[in-house]
Amino acid sequence: MLPAAFGLNAALRPGMIRRMKVAAFAILLAAVPFAAAAKTEKKHSPRPATGEIILPFQLNKEGFPLIKGAVDGKPGVFLLDTGTYDRFLLNRHYVPLDQGVHVGGDESIVLRRHAGAHKADLAGVLKVPASSGNGKNPDAALSIDARQQQQDIDPRFLGWLGWGFFKKYVTTIDYRRQVVRLMPLAKAPPTPRPPEIITLSFLPSSPVRPFVASIGGHSTPTVVRTTGWDSLALQPANWKRIAPSKVVKPRPGKGCIAVTPATFGGKRVDLVDLERSERQDERLTLGIGFLPRFTSVWDPRVGKVILTPNGTKPPQRRSCA
């Protein structure tokens, strides 16, 4: 069964649609169980360890990490999304595919499965099957018509590269050098944990399983995701309950809030430029504003994300309104 997020755009005011439609679709991707490119300065990358695979990436204007690649020779970019359950979810509006078989969705989003040996090229470094890796036909490709997301991500948007792919590696995302380092699980040494690190629980599933952060003494379900919009949603009563702690501060003229501090992974961390909302389903999302401050190691062997500060200042959002 697919979530109500499929039809979320229709309920948004026009001024909110552009900012929210990729985030809304991100909720959809995490909940399907069977399933953009700015110029950046080239940075020196250390020599790879034996067996390690290095994929360069770029951040688009929104802060989404994009990896150059191709599907069946069609060049473009993949969105690196640790919250997508599949290995690949293709954009059939851009990638030439057959009609396929309808396997889910609703009137606004139709999910289709495509037989055949479709091939993905990642940064000219790695060639793998462009399959979903999930469901009754894990070797088949899965697609949606992502023309709306393509407008916000990149004109040559191939689709999503998700956790179904990364779970076979210990994955390091280095935002300073803008590279992804992949070490096959069988060859990866234990992940070091120096004192300054933050260790978070990461158990990808459908739907995602959050860990807990403390905000003003309030336990808040929290998720970390490479494509998440940084935001804090609480029930109205809990917004009032944490107000005396004064940890939540408005960001004048931006419609954003700062949380100084939140506590998670045994550390106190200041968060800036979060969207504020009131809803029953509480959630702190740490994403495109939070993760670039760290080098992150995603280790499926222990179900953890290990964050090491990289000295980068938090990105400043123009507006959360």
Side-chain angles (χ1 to χ4, degrees), residues 3 9 25 56 67 92 98 103 107 160 186 206 210 227 255 279 299 305 310:
N9 285 347
F25 196 77
I67 296 174
R92 65 173 176 269
D98 60 25
V103 292
E107 294 180 358
W160 287 261
S206 180
T227 59
R279 70 179 195 212
D299 191 341
V305 179
N310 61 17

Side-chain angles (χ1 to χ4, degrees), residues 46-63:
R47 181 175 297 177
T50 302
E52 188 177 50
I53 302 163
I54 296 183
L55 304 176
F57 70 88
Q58 295 177 311
L59 299 177
N60 75 350
K61 61 183 178 181
E62 300 286 4

Side-chain angles (χ1 to χ4, degrees), residues 86-90 114 116 118-120 128-134 137-142 160 164-165:
D86 297 288
R87 296 178 72 248
F88 290 89
L89 179 61
L90 303 180
H114 306 269
H118 298 281
K119 299 294 184 181
V128 294
S131 58
S132 71
N134 292 307
N137 300 93
D139 296 329
L142 202 63
W160 287 261
F165 172 81

